[in-house]
Amino acid sequence: MTLITALTIFLLAVFVGLEIISKVPPTLHTPLMSATNAIHGVILVGALIVLGSAEDPLSIVLGLIAVIFGTLNVVGGFAVTDRMLEMFKRRPAKKESKS
């Protein structure tokens, strides 16, 4: 795969991602993000496999950047999902004091 082909695929992926995210209503952002965390886990494994077989310095640097951003996305997504799920937990009932 040539560099031009890889850059074309990357730019098209960025464009499609921005178009999809801009069309999703705000109430569906968190469930959509939770579902994409699993997908990014697969992407992270793929980036690690590609990084392991890279030989030239440009591929190694790009693979390392992909692994870093993928890791940040997965960890950040799970942290936000966990915080969202905390909002739905029941709080202990407050005791009413009789005075």
Side-chain angles (χ1 to χ4, degrees):
M1 181 180 300
T2 64
L3 180 63
I4 297 297
T5 304
L7 285 175
T8 303
I9 291 171
F10 176 73
L11 290 176
L12 286 174
V14 168
F15 177 73
V16 170
L18 287 175
E19 283 296 313
I20 289 173
I21 291 298
S22 67
K23 303 282 189 259
V24 173
T27 55
L28 294 178
H29 271 240
T30 303
L32 179 67
M33 188 174 57
S34 297
T36 56
N37 283 339
I39 295 170
H40 278 101
V42 173
I43 291 171
L44 184 59
V45 170
L48 286 171
I49 291 171
V50 170
L51 183 61
S53 65
E55 294 179 2
D56 60 337
L58 180 63
S59 297
I60 293 172
V61 169
L62 289 177
L64 186 63
I65 290 171
V67 168
I68 290 171
F69 281 133
T71 303
L72 288 174
N73 198 12
V74 169
V75 171
F78 278 113
V80 169
T81 301
D82 186 52
R83 195 173 83 188
M84 179 198 72
L85 292 176
E86 287 289 325
M87 293 177 5
F88 292 105
K89 286 186 178 177
R90 289 187 175 199
R91 296 182 183 143
K94 294 181 180 176
K95 294 183 179 178
E96 294 183 18
S97 62
K98 296 179 181 177
S99 54

